[in-house]
Amino acid sequence: MDNETVNTVEEIEEVKEDRPDAESAQERKAREEKEAAMRAARAKKIKLIPPFVMLLAGAAASITMRIQQYDTETMLIVLLCVLFGFYIAGCFLKGMVDKFERQVEEAGMEEGEVIEKELAEEGKTR
């Protein structure tokens, strides 16, 4: 501890006053919990993409085939193929959205780390 500087309470409070955007541990925990709840809500919504795409395509195909007066056997076979194909397309779309969300989250985390490092360096230099 010979070369280390010890900050007094007054110095720490001055640093906090200089940086009004710095958050306490409680504020950080509350923010992280809020972000986790938002991510969970988005994940629930994203999870529903494949079924909605599949059902929308199935409804459109069913209505079209009914209007065109397909026989029942052919209609069911085509409908099964349409449902399967669009479920796969919905899964692909969900995967792309998940990948995009991860990239945005990683970019936000890297930006947060840079800000935290800058704030920590400012605190050390004072």
Side-chain angles (χ1 to χ4, degrees):
M1 279 190 95
D2 295 335
N3 294 334
E4 294 180 18
T5 60
V6 178
N7 293 337
T8 63
V9 174
E10 292 82 20
E11 290 174 345
I12 293 171
E13 288 176 357
E14 286 177 12
V15 170
K16 282 188 177 180
E17 289 174 5
D18 292 342
R19 295 181 285 150
D21 58 336
E23 58 186 11
S24 68
Q26 290 176 340
E27 292 172 338
R28 181 179 301 140
K29 184 177 178 184
R31 179 182 49 83
E32 288 173 355
E33 288 175 357
K34 183 179 175 183
E35 289 175 355
M38 289 175 59
R39 280 193 301 270
R42 276 195 306 257
K44 284 182 181 179
K45 291 178 183 177
I46 291 172
K47 187 174 116 177
L48 295 174
I49 290 175
F52 279 131
V53 170
M54 176 185 74
L55 292 175
L56 184 63
S62 295
I63 292 169
T64 303
M65 287 186 287
R66 189 72 168 165
I67 290 172
Q68 302 250 338
Q69 298 179 352
Y70 277 61
D71 62 281
T72 306
E73 185 178 329
T74 306
M75 185 174 166
L76 289 175
I77 292 170
V78 171
L79 182 62
L80 180 65
C81 293
V82 166
L83 290 176
F84 182 72
F86 277 92
Y87 182 76
I88 299 299
C91 288
F92 179 73
L93 183 63
K94 177 186 172 287
M96 291 180 63
V97 170
D98 285 339
K99 183 177 178 181
F100 178 73
E101 291 268 332
R102 276 194 305 270
Q103 289 175 348
V104 168
E105 189 174 310
E106 288 173 1
M109 289 176 69
E110 287 176 4
E111 183 177 309
E113 289 174 2
V114 170
I115 291 171
E116 288 177 7
K117 287 180 183 177
E118 288 175 356
L119 294 176
E121 288 174 0
E122 285 178 11
K124 287 180 183 178
T125 58
R126 291 185 180 190

